Amino acid sequence: MKRKITLKQIARELDVSISTVSKALRNSIEISEDTREKVQAFAKLYNYRPNNIALSLKNRKTKTIGVIIPEIVHHFFSKVIRGIELVANKRGYNVIVGLSNESFDKEVINMQMLANGSIDGFILSISKETLQQQDYHHFKETISQGMPIVMFDRVVNEINCDKVIIDDLKGSKNAVNKLLANGCKNVAIITTKDYVSVGKLRTQGYLEALDDYKMSPKADLILKVDDALVSEDHLASLELEIEALFKKNNAIDGVFAVNELYAIIAMKVARNLGMKIPEDIQFIGFTDGVLSKHATPSLTTVNQHGQEMGEKAAGLLIDNLERDDEEEHYQTIIIETELVERNSTK
Amino acid sequence: MKRKITLKQIARELDVSISTVSKALRNSIEISEDTREKVQAFAKLYNYRPNNIALSLKNRKTKTIGVIIPEIVHHFFSKVIRGIELVANKRGYNVIVGLSNESFDKEVINMQMLANGSIDGFILSISKETLQQQDYHHFKETISQGMPIVMFDRVVNEINCDKVIIDDLKGSKNAVNKLLANGCKNVAIITTKDYVSVGKLRTQGYLEALDDYKMSPKADLILKVDDALVSEDHLASLELEIEALFKKNNAIDGVFAVNELYAIIAMKVARNLGMKIPEDIQFIGFTDGVLSKHATPSLTTVNQHGQEMGEKAAGLLIDNLERDDEEEHYQTIIIETELVERNSTK
DNA sequence: ATTCACAGCGAAAACGTTTTCGTGTTGACA
DNA sequence: TGTCAACACGAAAACGTTTTCGCTGTGAAT
């Protein structure tokens, strides 16, 4: 087991100074061609690579970006990571991942672990618990220490930084409009409690679409699910809630759900109640994932373009890192959503 | 924007030496209680944290582990990452992620980027292209430079290192046994080309199960799909292949697929051909994911316990890193699979 | 013969830590 | 008063780079 070779060792072997070796390897004209060739040959032979950590320390940058997401076993977030990784790698950066697991504490801890020199900047999506507690001091501190942050998807106005979001309002409005245009008279929405910003916005889009069609919203048609319950195995209770929704209101002929899973489950419940999709009732879900594509019937969705979000976020961050002017001019990039029509709508 | 504070700055402000500050912060008894308190108060006030990069350089370890996987938008791999992250964090390590995207070159590049001091060890699953080319020099080099590797899922005998795998043979044999025990007389298998080691093993399990039941395999019942074609949008051709399989062999009453997607698609094709699931035909897929759970009917699967694989792999790696004896004694941990029975089987 | 330019190289600082080894000051004791 | 331990602290090296600056020697120009 031969340890990685260093400049010092090469210098000793070749009986020159460390500076000479360093310069020779970088093809400095200060060094004679003879010496250069000798050093380079030796370096290649022993497969020399500069130690990244030493470089990071010297340059005071790590060429690494930290990503903190609430959950990785999730189609949307993993697509975002793929996007981040893609442009990060292309531009010579590494990606280090932290999972908050939707917990405030883990989010804080993770950020602290990374903020001490390990990375040059953050890309993150805020955990639900943080959103609920509305405690954003860790973001502010990080930024005030000169470490840039790019937030995506779940963002918050209170923090001044680059952001990449989708137009949740417009996306859901479009979706509901589609249902209405398809002839639905009683469109229900399955959404989350309001502290999840995207849930709130998507609900608002629903309301605006109704308004466009001069329909007044009915409380009976709005189901606000407590996300905490949906943690994997409480799905059964969700089914019951949806079943109750349908039974209480048997004129429902359209459903808009703020995520894929809610929509899929709602379809299942509807089918069990004997309704035909899309003849009797039509469905649209927000967030396009594997489930939607392979469900029966396949689900019409609002595609969020997760990978593109990741790409844009990484671009924003790296641009920021590599810009030398210190002026703050934060941008918010809005990614357009796209209605992917499948078989759950007419 | 106040830059992160360093020992040197604290020392200057408090008019003591750097060593004193360092010792005071670590509560060394060398330093008088007075000074200690003064320093610690100051450090807390300015929120001092030791610079990780400097520590890494000094200690010659980064407390970071590198993970290289072929794809992240994938239920299994993201579960593995979650497992890795879980134990890594618990033991004070960070996780840096590289995606090979199933490409040999990207795998090599990624490993080189990380092997130069950025990480202490690797956890990886080999890309398909690498498996196909059977070129493993980058693994050997990495290991010979003293950087430990733990391979999971897609491993290769040729490389001597810790491994975490599942018993693909046993898992698929159990699955096919289940179908046979349920009365299936003509069980088809939908698998991959043989260079994917897991595909090969799972096929073998299928054959052994048949053998147990004194059935001889029929070439007509074995469909080997070219993975390259399944890249997202060539699914249509896969459907055609499966349809052909069913039509050529209309006695098929059981299907074992080596992954979830193949099984789901096969179910769809079967349904379109008018077969009833599970009455006329039963299905089992390898790899338990979201699709299986929410499909209609829900799919019986062989659960691989991805998260557990990740946890074990990380445990193995960190144990190795923190062990001081230099003896090599590589282990291979086998994770038991589990048959998750749902509605696609009787 | 003196100066000068220039080529070729080395010393040292810097990045931020930790740790080993000194060093100076006290107080106690003989 | 002289010796010695204990105490409190500082200097410096080390981790592996890059870069600035200075040094030496050679050949040419005056």
Side-chain angles (χ1 to χ4, degrees):
Chain A
M1 185 184 79
K2 31 172 187 172
R3 274 234 155 288
K4 295 227 71 172
I5 198 170
T6 69
L7 286 187
K8 193 193 284 194
Q9 295 170 45
I10 300 184
R12 195 184 314 138
E13 293 294 322
L14 262 47
D15 214 40
V16 292
S17 78
I18 296 181
S19 348
T20 304
V21 177
S22 176
K23 289 171 189 164
L25 289 177
R26 330 196 99 247
N27 259 318
S28 158
I29 53 156
E30 265 188 90
I31 307 299
S32 73
E33 205 153 334
D34 268 13
T35 319
R36 258 187 285 170
E37 280 173 11
K38 200 172 52 176
V39 171
Q40 291 183 7
F42 193 91
K44 179 165 284 175
L45 180 62
Y46 282 89
N47 196 26
Y48 169 81
R49 311 276 161 178
N51 180 307
N52 241 318
I53 295 293
L55 285 179
S56 296
L57 183 59
K58 175 130 195 47
N59 301 331
R60 280 139 122 217
K61 52 183 155 187
T62 60
K63 288 267 182 181
T64 302
I65 79 190
V67 176
I68 297 190
I69 52 174
E71 170 62 272
I72 198 170
V73 188
H74 193 295
H75 194 260
F76 172 67
F77 286 121
S78 52
K79 278 217 157 193
V80 174
I81 293 208
R82 187 209 259 164
I84 294 175
E85 235 267 340
L86 189 75
V87 342
N89 263 14
K90 194 178 296 171
R91 297 181 67 170
Y93 283 73
N94 278 318
V95 175
I96 185 164
V97 173
L99 306 182
S100 70
N101 212 22
E102 303 286 9
S103 137
F104 173 79
D105 288 339
K106 273 216 68 182
E107 187 174 276
V108 173
I109 302 259
N110 253 311
M111 287 191 68
Q112 284 179 346
M113 270 190 85
L114 298 183
N116 304 317
S118 303
I119 61 164
D120 296 339
F122 279 108
I123 295 178
L124 55 85
S125 190
I126 308 179
S127 85
K128 282 182 192 162
E129 202 183 0
T130 307
L131 288 170
Q132 208 167 2
Q133 300 182 200
Q134 303 189 31
D135 182 348
Y136 309 126
H137 76 275
H138 49 308
F139 302 139
K140 290 181 186 162
E141 266 174 26
T142 306
I143 292 173
S144 87
Q145 284 179 349
M147 177 156 307
I149 292 183
V150 177
M151 294 189 175
F152 71 90
D153 195 49
R154 302 200 202 145
V155 307
V156 74
N157 277 330
E158 199 172 330
I159 303 292
N160 217 327
C161 65
D162 286 324
K163 288 161 192 161
V164 181
I165 54 176
I166 57 162
D167 195 336
D168 285 287
L169 200 151
K170 190 166 149 197
S172 56
K173 192 171 163 183
N174 279 347
V176 178
N177 270 335
K178 171 77 185 172
L179 290 173
L180 297 172
N182 277 3
C184 295
K185 300 298 175 199
N186 290 282
V187 177
I189 178 173
I190 305 176
T191 180
T192 59
K193 303 281 186 198
D194 278 347
Y195 65 83
V196 182
S197 57
V198 296
K200 190 172 178 179
L201 285 170
R202 290 171 196 173
T203 306
Q204 202 179 327
Y206 164 78
L207 295 174
E208 289 193 10
L210 289 185
D211 197 55
D212 281 0
Y213 275 73
K214 313 287 181 216
M215 293 175 159
S216 50
K218 299 180 203 153
D220 274 9
L221 292 179
I222 301 179
L223 177 57
K224 292 195 181 182
V225 177
D226 192 349
D227 258 51
L229 292 182
V230 189
S231 57
E232 287 290 322
D233 291 313
H234 293 89
L235 290 180
S237 69
L238 176 58
E239 280 187 38
L240 292 178
E241 283 195 70
I242 295 176
E243 197 174 331
L245 172 73
F246 284 157
K247 286 188 171 161
K248 188 157 51 178
N249 215 311
N250 62 9
I252 292 179
D253 53 3
V255 172
F256 172 63
V258 297
N259 61 47
E260 176 179 67
L261 187 55
Y262 290 1
I264 296 287
I265 293 179
M267 284 208 297
K268 182 158 99 181
V269 172
R271 208 172 26 238
N272 287 345
L273 291 175
M275 313 190 206
K276 290 258 174 284
I277 306 170
E279 292 79 7
D280 303 339
I281 183 169
Q282 304 179 48
F283 288 84
I284 297 185
F286 217 101
T287 311
D288 187 47
V290 272
L291 278 180
S292 310
K293 195 179 206 165
H294 298 290
T296 36
S298 56
L299 178 67
T300 295
T301 59
V302 179
N303 186 355
Q304 292 187 86
H305 298 290
Q307 177 162 345
E308 190 185 344
M309 286 189 84
E311 292 171 14
K312 293 276 199 267
L316 232 43
L317 181 63
I318 297 178
D319 285 348
N320 188 339
L321 290 174
E322 298 187 343
R323 188 167 38 212
D324 15 61
D325 67 59
E326 286 290 322
E327 280 181 72
E328 297 183 353
H329 49 358
Y330 295 124
Q331 324 179 30
T332 294
I333 295 183
I334 297 178
I335 307 278
E336 290 297 318
T337 60
E338 171 199 23
L339 194 66
V340 182
E341 295 190 40
R342 298 209 183 86
N343 300 325
S344 65
T345 49
K346 287 180 192 167
Chain B
M1 184 184 85
K2 31 174 190 173
R3 273 235 154 287
K4 295 230 70 173
I5 198 172
T6 69
L7 286 187
K8 193 192 284 194
Q9 295 171 45
I10 300 184
R12 197 185 310 138
E13 293 292 325
L14 262 47
D15 214 40
V16 291
S17 77
I18 297 181
S19 346
T20 304
V21 177
S22 176
K23 289 172 190 164
L25 289 176
R26 329 196 102 245
N27 260 318
S28 159
I29 53 158
E30 264 189 273
I31 307 297
S32 73
E33 205 154 332
D34 269 11
T35 318
R36 257 186 284 170
E37 281 172 10
K38 200 172 51 176
V39 172
Q40 291 182 7
F42 191 91
K44 179 165 286 176
L45 179 63
Y46 283 89
N47 197 25
Y48 169 81
R49 311 275 161 180
N51 180 308
N52 240 320
I53 296 293
L55 285 179
S56 295
L57 184 58
K58 176 132 192 50
N59 301 330
R60 279 139 122 217
K61 52 182 154 188
T62 60
K63 288 263 181 186
T64 302
I65 78 191
V67 176
I68 296 188
I69 52 174
E71 170 61 272
I72 198 170
V73 188
H74 194 294
H75 194 260
F76 172 66
F77 286 121
S78 53
K79 279 218 156 193
V80 174
I81 291 208
R82 187 209 258 165
I84 294 175
E85 235 268 340
L86 188 74
V87 342
N89 263 14
K90 193 177 296 170
R91 297 181 68 170
Y93 283 73
N94 279 318
V95 176
I96 186 165
V97 174
L99 307 182
S100 70
N101 212 22
E102 303 286 10
S103 135
F104 173 79
D105 288 338
K106 274 216 67 182
E107 187 174 277
V108 173
I109 302 260
N110 254 311
M111 286 191 69
Q112 284 178 346
M113 271 190 85
L114 298 183
N116 303 317
S118 302
I119 62 164
D120 296 339
F122 278 109
I123 295 178
L124 57 85
S125 190
I126 308 177
S127 84
K128 282 182 191 160
E129 202 183 1
T130 307
L131 287 170
Q132 209 167 1
Q133 298 182 199
Q134 303 190 34
D135 181 349
Y136 309 125
H137 76 275
H138 49 309
F139 303 137
K140 289 181 186 161
E141 266 174 27
T142 306
I143 293 173
S144 87
Q145 285 179 348
M147 177 155 308
I149 292 183
V150 177
M151 295 190 176
F152 72 90
D153 195 50
R154 302 201 203 143
V155 307
V156 72
N157 276 328
E158 199 172 332
I159 302 291
N160 219 325
C161 65
D162 285 324
K163 287 161 194 163
V164 181
I165 53 175
I166 58 164
D167 195 335
D168 285 288
L169 199 151
K170 191 167 148 197
S172 56
K173 191 171 164 184
N174 279 345
V176 177
N177 270 334
K178 170 77 184 172
L179 290 173
L180 296 172
N182 278 1
C184 295
K185 300 298 177 200
N186 289 282
V187 177
I189 180 172
I190 306 176
T191 182
T192 59
K193 303 279 187 198
D194 278 346
Y195 64 85
V196 182
S197 57
V198 296
K200 189 172 179 181
L201 285 170
R202 290 171 195 172
T203 306
Q204 201 179 329
Y206 163 81
L207 296 174
E208 290 193 8
L210 288 185
D211 197 53
D212 280 1
Y213 275 73
K214 313 287 181 218
M215 294 175 157
S216 49
K218 298 179 204 156
D220 274 6
L221 292 179
I222 300 179
L223 176 57
K224 292 195 182 182
V225 177
D226 193 347
D227 257 52
L229 292 182
V230 190
S231 58
E232 289 290 321
D233 291 313
H234 293 88
L235 291 179
S237 68
L238 177 58
E239 280 187 37
L240 292 179
E241 285 195 68
I242 295 176
E243 198 174 330
L245 172 73
F246 284 158
K247 286 189 171 161
K248 187 157 53 179
N249 217 310
N250 62 7
I252 292 179
D253 52 4
V255 173
F256 171 64
V258 297
N259 61 47
E260 177 180 66
L261 187 56
Y262 290 2
I264 296 286
I265 293 179
M267 284 208 296
K268 183 158 100 182
V269 172
R271 210 173 25 238
N272 287 344
L273 291 176
M275 313 189 204
K276 291 257 174 282
I277 307 169
E279 293 79 6
D280 302 341
I281 183 169
Q282 304 179 48
F283 289 84
I284 297 184
F286 217 101
T287 311
D288 187 46
V290 273
L291 278 179
S292 309
K293 196 179 207 165
H294 299 290
T296 36
S298 57
L299 178 68
T300 295
T301 59
V302 179
N303 185 354
Q304 290 187 88
H305 299 290
Q307 175 161 348
E308 189 184 345
M309 285 189 85
E311 292 172 15
K312 292 275 200 271
L316 231 44
L317 181 62
I318 297 178
D319 285 350
N320 188 339
L321 291 174
E322 299 187 342
R323 189 168 35 216
D324 15 61
D325 67 57
E326 288 290 322
E327 280 181 70
E328 295 182 355
H329 49 359
Y330 296 124
Q331 322 179 31
T332 294
I333 295 183
I334 297 178
I335 307 278
E336 291 297 317
T337 58
E338 171 199 23
L339 194 66
V340 181
E341 297 191 37
R342 297 209 184 87
N343 300 325
S344 64
T345 49
K346 287 184 191 166

